[in-house]
Amino acid sequence: FEILSPGNKRAEMEKKFDFYQTHGVEEYYLYDPKKNNLQGWLRTNAAYLEVALEENEPKILSKALKNVIEAQGGINLSLSAK
């Protein structure tokens, strides 16, 4: 899970994305607080597939976290056991 800050550069983020994909990370999430934009990718076989988000309901179901990640004026993630 990455949260962008003003110091992040596009090339740096692309390098991290490639690293995570190459090394088998199952899920990758990127949140831009300035734009309140949440993106997510889930591993399918050897590559990532970007999760399609509904514009009016930006939620992603994380299999790894067994929880829903949502962006509505910020990130909401409850780590309580269900």
Side-chain angles (χ1 to χ4, degrees):
F1 199 99
E2 301 271 357
I3 299 176
L4 291 178
S5 67
N8 289 118
K9 305 287 186 233
R10 182 176 187 90
E12 169 193 8
M13 299 313 295
E14 288 173 358
K15 187 175 178 179
K16 286 182 179 185
F17 181 92
D18 291 342
F19 178 86
Y20 297 145
Q21 185 166 234
T22 299
H23 293 284
V25 174
E26 292 295 318
E27 299 179 359
Y28 176 62
Y29 303 101
L30 182 63
Y31 177 65
D32 183 343
K34 189 173 182 179
K35 297 178 181 177
N36 191 36
N37 183 48
L38 175 64
Q39 293 176 275
W41 293 266
L42 303 176
R43 176 163 300 287
T44 58
N45 299 320
Y48 280 139
L49 178 63
E50 186 168 6
V51 176
L53 299 177
E54 299 293 327
E55 189 171 326
N56 60 346
E57 197 169 329
K59 294 181 181 181
I60 299 173
L61 176 60
S62 168
K63 292 179 184 176
L65 297 175
K66 296 181 178 128
N67 213 312
V68 173
I69 301 168
E70 57 185 313
Q72 293 181 348
I75 288 291
N76 180 13
L77 174 63
S78 173
L79 295 177
S80 61
K82 292 187 177 188

